[in-house]
Amino acid sequence: MIRRPPRSTPKPSSAASDVYKRQRQELINGLRVSDQKLSEDVESSCFIFESIPVVPNDVLKEVVRQLPPDDVITAISGATKEIKEAVILCFPEQSRKALISSLKSKTPEKEEVRTARRKFVDSMREMADAERVNLRDVNSAFANQAAVPALQ
């Protein structure tokens, strides 16, 4: 059995995550100001993994339950506390402890996480195509969470 050495690099700080989130929101807000039609098109067809906490619960539950549990755990590895909570709460109460235990013990490679998150994003876009969720509403709610003032 080959054992991987413990991670030597720390997880990104929340300050770094906040900077990235702020930059993304400034970009979205700037696009809204400069080209509203393009902004609407982009926001209606794109799903940002980090916006999971603002996805309507019924839609998130459906997406989470469609994916294999191992992919779900891999996808939320290294995610924010809010994302982990939103996703774990989609599972039946009796299975949550096992999921949390799996999450703590799992140390997937970056590519595995990226692949699992892609499945999440694809499922969410399928829900949008089926008109089960409005991605523009999700993106707007996510942008409003960032508390970044709109560019004037």
Side-chain angles (χ1 to χ4, degrees):
M1 174 186 227
I2 298 174
R3 296 192 137 205
R4 239 185 315 161
R7 290 185 179 171
S8 58
T9 56
K11 290 183 181 177
S13 70
S14 62
S17 287
D18 289 345
V19 168
Y20 177 67
K21 190 177 194 180
R22 216 174 17 252
Q23 288 173 335
R24 182 174 46 232
Q25 296 318 313
E26 288 173 1
L27 179 64
I28 290 171
N29 287 338
L31 186 57
R32 286 178 179 157
V33 170
S34 65
D35 191 337
Q36 191 170 2
K37 175 67 175 131
L38 179 59
S39 170
E40 289 173 5
D41 290 346
V42 168
E43 290 186 76
S44 296
S45 61
C46 123
F47 177 74
I48 301 168
F49 183 81
E50 288 79 9
S51 67
I52 284 176
V54 299
V55 172
N57 287 336
D58 60 325
V59 173
L60 185 58
K61 279 183 183 180
E62 193 171 335
V63 167
V64 166
R65 291 178 180 178
Q66 286 175 0
L67 297 171
D70 195 52
D71 284 344
V72 173
I73 295 301
T74 300
I76 64 173
S77 294
T80 65
K81 178 182 174 187
E82 293 81 11
I83 291 172
K84 289 176 184 175
E85 286 177 358
V87 170
I88 289 171
L89 289 174
C90 291
F91 286 94
E93 193 170 340
Q94 61 271 22
S95 62
R96 291 179 193 159
K97 281 187 179 184
L99 288 167
I100 292 169
S101 176
S102 294
L103 184 59
K104 288 179 181 178
S105 66
K106 192 170 182 102
T107 54
E109 296 292 328
K110 285 182 181 181
E111 190 57 38
E112 291 175 287
V113 173
R114 199 173 294 124
T115 300
R117 288 183 180 182
R118 168 58 47 206
K119 291 178 184 179
F120 237 103
V121 169
D122 291 345
S123 292
M124 198 61 69
R125 290 171 84 188
E126 288 173 11
M127 294 295 274
D129 291 344
E131 298 182 0
R132 297 269 297 120
V133 65
N134 182 322
L135 293 180
R136 185 163 192 263
D137 291 346
V138 170
N139 288 322
S140 292
F142 180 66
N144 291 335
Q145 261 190 347
V148 174
L151 299 176
Q152 301 289 325

